């Protein structure tokens, strides 16, 4: 899996589609999506929100809008994608994605 890059403080939107047996999953029934970077770093979005994870505007994809989040710069090869719905109120680990978080190229922070 190739890593995608997020620049802190920039609009670095990244789009993913969740697949179930190769078929695009409809996300309209989800109540929440979490990205778990580590035990101390988690990004959460509720249904209806358009940041930091938008799975409402287009229910066949999730768009990460996490450049403004408090995530330390570094390599995160195994960010867990957790989804929540009525059948999985405690969250289901859908899979992992690889993200590279870099400092703002204009400010260095």
């Amino acid at each position: 899996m190739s890593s995608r890059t997020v620049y802190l403080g920039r609009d670095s939107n990244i789009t993913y589609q969740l697949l179930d047996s190769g078929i695009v999953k409809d996300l309209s029934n989800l109540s929440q999506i979490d990205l778990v970077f580590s035990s101390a770093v988690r990004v959460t979005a509720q249904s209806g929100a358009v940041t930091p994870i938008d799975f409402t505007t287009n229910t066949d994809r999730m768009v990460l809008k996490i450049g403004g989040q408090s995530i330390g710069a570094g390599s995160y090869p195994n960010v867990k994608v957790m989804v929540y719905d009525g059948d999985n109120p405690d969250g289901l680990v859908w899979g992992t994605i690889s993200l590279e978080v870099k400092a703002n190229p204009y400010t260095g922070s």
Side-chain angles (χ1 to χ4, degrees):
M1 167 183 2
S2 64
S3 187
R4 304 288 300 273
T5 302
V6 173
Y7 289 95
L8 297 173
R10 309 305 298 172
D11 294 327
S12 306
N13 298 349
I14 300 172
T15 301
Y16 288 97
Q17 288 185 308
L18 303 183
L19 303 177
D20 185 10
S21 300
I23 298 171
V24 175
K25 178 78 173 153
D26 177 15
L27 307 179
S28 63
N29 67 322
L30 297 182
S31 58
Q32 178 176 313
I33 295 179
D34 290 347
L35 299 179
V36 181
F37 289 77
S38 69
S39 60
V41 179
R42 177 183 298 234
V43 174
T44 298
Q46 305 290 324
S47 176
V50 294
T51 60
I53 305 167
D54 180 0
F55 57 100
T56 301
T57 302
N58 292 299
T59 60
D60 65 343
R61 66 197 72 182
M62 66 176 189
V63 180
L64 309 186
K65 301 176 180 182
I66 57 176
Q69 299 298 301
S70 297
I71 304 166
S75 179
Y76 298 91
N78 294 302
V79 178
K80 291 179 186 68
V81 177
M82 296 183 64
V83 297
Y84 299 79
D85 63 14
D87 293 331
N88 302 286
D90 295 323
L92 171 71
V93 178
W94 194 267
T96 61
I97 57 175
S98 179
L99 294 172
E100 183 77 25
V101 178
K102 295 186 177 185
N104 186 324
Y106 295 105
T107 65
S109 60

